Amino acid sequence: MISFELDEEHAALRDSVRQFARDVVAPVAFEHYEQHSFPYEVIRQMGKMGLFGLPFPEEYGGMGGDYFALCIALEELARVDSSVAITLEAAISLGAMPVYRFGTPEQKATWLPRLTSGEALAGFGLTEPGFGSDAGGTQTRALLDGDEWVINGSKAFITNSGTDITAFVTVTARTGTRPDGTPELSTIIVPNGTPGFTVAPGYSKVGWCASDTHELHFDDVRVPAANLLGERGRGFAQFLRILDEGRIAIAALATGLAQGCVDESIAYAHQRHAFGQPIGNFQAIQFKIADMEARAHTARLAYYDAAARMLAGTDFKRQAAIAKLHASEIAVTNAREATQVHGGYGFMNETPVARFWRDAKILEIGEGTSEVQRMIIARDLGV
Amino acid sequence: MNIVVLVKQVPDSGSERGLSADDKTVDRGSANNVINEMDEYAIEEALKIQEAHGGEVTVLTVGPQQAAESIRKALSMGPDKAMHVVDDALHGSCALATSKVLAAAIGRLSPDLVISGAESTDGRVQVIPHMIAERLGIAALTGARKLVVDGATLTVERQTDEGYEVVTAATPAVVSVWDTINEPRYPSFKGIMAAKKKPVETLSLADLGIAADEVGLSGASSAVVEAGKRPPRQGGTKVTDEGDGGVKLVEFLASEKFV
């Protein structure tokens, strides 16, 4: 009745992405990280092998897979490089998925084939300089002027919003006030290059250095009324669903990072000698690696469970929050421990675990902080 | 253009490999078995030709039952169908016998072009493409780093130690390729799903009209008499620079014929 064995197809996908990650992603990861450059060639090849279309149907250029297939791919990519993993995660969960889920037939036909092939990326503009997970506090406004939306405001930390291949950013904005006085929130597609829409230079980030993140400014930006994505006033409900799914994806990514820490530590334990023998002979190292593996394993089980519930159509809110909370916290722990195993080399940026250490922290913050996850879990338990 | 790609399942060259203690054949039971790396380049080349010129791509494998996994993986890259020759009597076959089986199977498919990797990472004899061509009475263009199809004319750049040779032949022909020829694609999820439904025809030696004693260990033209572990790597030469380090380095390189 209970099985966490992957079926043949998901196992084959995992193997395919694992090989790709090892052959194509890993060799250039450090260079892009160091130079804060976006890995266009890697992204192009990921597009070619269909990763950007994983959970979408073939009629939109997708692979006909499911959200779990995406999670498997994210885990394998994050085992070697979180920057490309988050680029893929955001491109699908935050870029293409809202269009697929809430778009009109015209919007889907216009945007999805380019997004699912990886030729184009889209960003999701939710967070603002003054507001994070508290989307009710959105200050960006959109007013209907004839048959055009006029948008004013700013967005912060928007992934994939400023690459050479970014097609548009979906922006959440106040489009009015409800009878009860709360803001009416809607989502609107704003193509890059629209006059008044400016993309600030990339941030200097602690981690995810090869991923594309910007602050965005909207100054009397005009787009057609038809660019409204989904129902007017449903922006809040729409993004909640997007975030619940996204948590499982981030949990998968965090699991990959945690597993990558195990991979690197095992290799180093065999290779590095101290006191005349490989450091893997020392119990201090063995126990660290055993604990890391145990943490990565349990994180994987938690996200598999959340994904299974989601695909089965049952409630998965609490399980997604648990998976995200657990995986992100153990990712930080594993990265710290793997760095310790590597000693001084672990403090050098060119050592993969050093990158993992820098990449891990954001996992406890993005897509809902650990505190928000605990709030969700507690509320779901009725306290 | 109909193409047959030869795909062999081999023990992963990246992990520990060995010979079986009893009959000194390649130990496949305990190994992590994968598609011979060079064959992935052959598959990619076949798919590129198919994309440009149409036709059908068939994967052909001679190997034990477990090779079915590699066939499925090969199909997930894009070929249309596969043929798997599997027979217990094949165990321990030499290159000559294997080429006989492959040639018989290719004869049933009558392709315009046969593409294979230039060598397998287990046997490494590089002779199978030549042997097949000889048995079928068609041209062999081996060791290609580039292949151009123009109607019924094939032109390859044949990689050599000194550079390359340009060789042409008319179809049908056998072409073997090195890993310099392309970059193999990674199976997509759509390809993986599609591969499940692709036909794989399974044939025995009897189906090909080959007697069991013509192949296998008993019918082999060569035998492994003895095998041992590769000797451990010798310690290198240390050059201490006493003002003449450069000269000593060049002397060493010259003695090893690097310069």
Side-chain angles (χ1 to χ4, degrees):
Chain A
M1 165 191 148
I2 298 171
S3 171
F4 285 97
E5 277 293 302
L6 294 187
D7 59 31
E8 211 180 299
E9 300 79 55
H10 286 95
L13 174 73
R14 180 195 57 197
D15 295 347
S16 184
V17 178
R18 183 175 294 173
Q19 194 181 345
F20 175 82
R22 199 177 52 196
D23 298 350
V24 179
V25 181
V28 297
F30 171 65
E31 195 187 324
H32 285 294
Y33 207 83
E34 196 74 348
Q35 295 173 3
H36 293 235
S37 56
F38 191 73
Y40 287 103
E41 176 54 24
V42 172
I43 297 302
R44 189 189 67 76
Q45 291 193 56
M46 283 163 63
K48 214 173 122 196
M49 74 182 287
L51 295 187
F52 288 90
L54 268 178
F56 302 107
E58 292 184 28
E59 60 173 313
Y60 298 116
M63 291 288 117
D66 50 34
Y67 203 78
F68 185 52
L70 168 65
C71 292
I72 298 275
L74 291 171
E75 185 188 334
E76 291 303 326
L77 289 172
R79 271 174 88 159
V80 305
D81 182 22
S82 288
S83 290
V84 297
I86 193 58
T87 299
L88 176 67
E89 197 280 329
I92 290 181
S93 297
L94 304 176
M97 195 58 89
V99 178
Y100 171 63
R101 204 115 315 113
F102 309 115
T104 62
E106 293 74 32
Q107 287 168 340
K108 289 186 195 179
T110 303
W111 299 113
L112 281 182
R114 289 177 59 206
L115 298 178
T116 58
S117 65
E119 280 166 49
L121 296 170
F124 189 69
L126 168 69
T127 304
E128 300 194 353
F131 296 92
S133 297
D134 170 22
T138 300
Q139 296 297 304
T140 297
R141 287 165 194 278
L143 296 173
L144 206 50
D145 178 24
D147 57 358
E148 285 181 328
W149 291 106
V150 182
I151 305 166
N152 280 286
S154 294
K155 295 290 175 180
F157 313 134
I158 310 305
T159 306
N160 291 340
S161 61
T163 72
D164 295 348
I165 55 173
T166 300
F168 64 88
V169 174
T170 303
V171 178
T172 54
R174 300 170 77 125
T175 48
T177 307
R178 294 173 190 280
D180 65 0
T182 58
E184 175 197 89
L185 289 180
S186 306
T187 46
I188 299 167
I189 293 174
V190 183
N192 279 44
T194 305
F197 172 20
T198 49
V199 178
Y203 294 95
S204 172
K205 292 174 289 187
V206 168
W208 285 359
C209 295
S211 83
D212 180 79
T213 321
H214 300 272
E215 188 163 306
L216 309 176
H217 301 286
F218 303 87
D219 187 13
D220 282 334
V221 173
R222 288 177 169 268
V223 298
N227 281 23
L228 179 72
L229 183 62
E231 276 177 63
R232 179 169 177 169
R234 291 277 299 157
F236 196 71
Q238 287 174 10
F239 97 78
L240 283 183
R241 162 86 195 192
I242 296 286
L243 284 191
D244 278 342
E245 291 176 1
R247 286 186 183 124
I248 306 177
I250 294 296
L253 197 155
T255 303
L257 188 149
Q259 194 67 51
C261 291
V262 180
D263 300 340
E264 293 295 330
S265 297
I266 291 173
Y268 195 70
H270 285 304
Q271 174 213 324
R272 170 76 179 181
H273 284 66
F275 308 106
Q277 52 187 320
I279 61 169
N281 285 0
F282 302 122
Q283 203 175 51
I285 302 295
Q286 292 167 1
F287 279 14
K288 275 191 198 302
I289 292 175
D291 285 343
M292 278 190 252
E293 172 66 16
R295 286 188 285 259
H297 182 71
T298 50
R300 182 175 303 108
L301 294 181
Y303 97 71
Y304 276 21
D305 173 55
R309 284 166 187 274
M310 177 192 153
L311 293 180
T314 54
D315 190 30
F316 65 95
K317 197 179 187 62
R318 189 204 314 170
Q319 288 75 16
I322 291 172
K324 198 273 179 184
L325 172 65
H326 181 60
S328 60
E329 296 198 340
I330 68 104
V332 172
T333 307
N334 273 18
R336 190 184 67 244
E337 290 291 84
T339 303
Q340 194 70 17
V341 167
H342 282 71
Y345 287 103
F347 199 60
M348 299 298 115
N349 280 324
E350 64 194 286
T351 305
V353 294
R355 261 191 298 126
F356 297 171
W357 188 54
R358 290 168 59 183
D359 288 340
K361 183 59 206 172
I362 185 62
L363 297 168
E364 295 182 319
I365 299 169
E367 210 88 13
T369 59
S370 289
E371 291 71 22
V372 165
Q373 308 306 329
R374 288 187 167 90
M375 250 166 58
I376 292 168
I377 297 164
R379 270 186 202 156
D380 199 60
L381 292 170
V383 290
Chain B
M1 175 161 289
N2 290 326
I3 305 171
V4 167
V5 188
L6 307 187
V7 173
K8 185 182 187 185
Q9 188 183 52
V10 297
D12 188 349
S13 60
S15 54
E16 188 76 15
R17 294 172 294 169
L19 300 180
S20 302
D22 48 355
D23 62 7
K24 298 192 179 64
T25 59
V26 174
D27 182 6
R28 299 173 197 282
S30 59
N32 176 28
N33 294 300
V34 298
I35 294 180
N36 176 45
E37 193 190 8
M38 216 66 75
D39 296 347
E40 292 187 13
Y41 295 81
I43 297 168
E44 177 65 33
E45 198 61 20
L47 293 172
K48 283 170 75 178
I49 295 170
Q50 182 190 39
E51 280 158 14
H53 302 278
E56 208 173 36
V57 176
T58 307
V59 168
L60 172 59
T61 295
V62 172
Q65 194 55 50
Q66 70 199 28
E69 290 165 30
S70 292
I71 292 175
R72 204 53 78 182
K73 182 175 177 211
L75 289 174
S76 70
M77 290 174 71
D80 303 285
K81 59 189 174 65
M83 180 181 275
H84 185 187
V85 183
V86 51
D87 198 308
D88 289 344
L90 284 164
H91 176 79
S93 293
C94 66
L96 267 175
T98 304
S99 72
K100 176 179 249 179
V101 178
L102 283 166
I106 292 166
R108 288 169 69 109
L109 295 163
S110 330
D112 304 295
L113 177 58
V114 177
I115 308 183
S116 79
E119 70 173 15
S120 59
T121 52
D122 55 354
R124 303 200 64 178
V125 290
Q126 300 186 19
V127 296
I128 292 285
H130 305 83
M131 288 177 171
I132 291 170
E134 195 64 22
R135 290 184 185 278
L136 294 171
I138 60 179
L141 306 177
T142 56
R145 66 170 203 179
K146 187 180 179 188
L147 168 60
V148 176
V149 177
D150 182 10
T153 305
L154 306 171
T155 305
V156 308
E157 287 181 10
R158 184 173 192 277
Q159 195 170 302
T160 70
D161 286 346
E162 289 79 30
Y164 66 94
E165 303 162 353
V166 178
V167 191
T168 64
T171 59
V174 180
V175 175
S176 72
V177 303
W178 286 115
D179 55 1
T180 41
I181 197 162
N182 58 41
E183 270 307 315
R185 65 197 65 188
Y186 292 83
S188 71
F189 196 62
K190 192 156 72 177
I192 289 164
M193 298 297 279
K196 282 169 63 185
K197 303 187 193 83
K198 290 177 179 172
V200 179
E201 188 184 0
T202 307
L203 297 176
S204 65
L205 283 174
D207 293 329
L208 294 173
I210 295 173
D213 60 5
E214 296 177 66
V215 299
L217 272 177
S218 59
S221 58
S222 59
V224 177
V225 180
E226 209 179 313
K229 286 256 178 218
R230 184 199 306 246
R233 190 176 291 191
Q234 301 296 314
T237 307
K238 201 170 191 175
V239 176
T240 310
D241 186 11
E242 291 159 348
D244 57 351
V247 174
K248 282 184 179 163
L249 267 180
V250 172
E251 276 172 1
F252 170 76
L253 291 172
S255 71
E256 299 288 322
K257 299 197 167 49
F258 284 116
V259 292

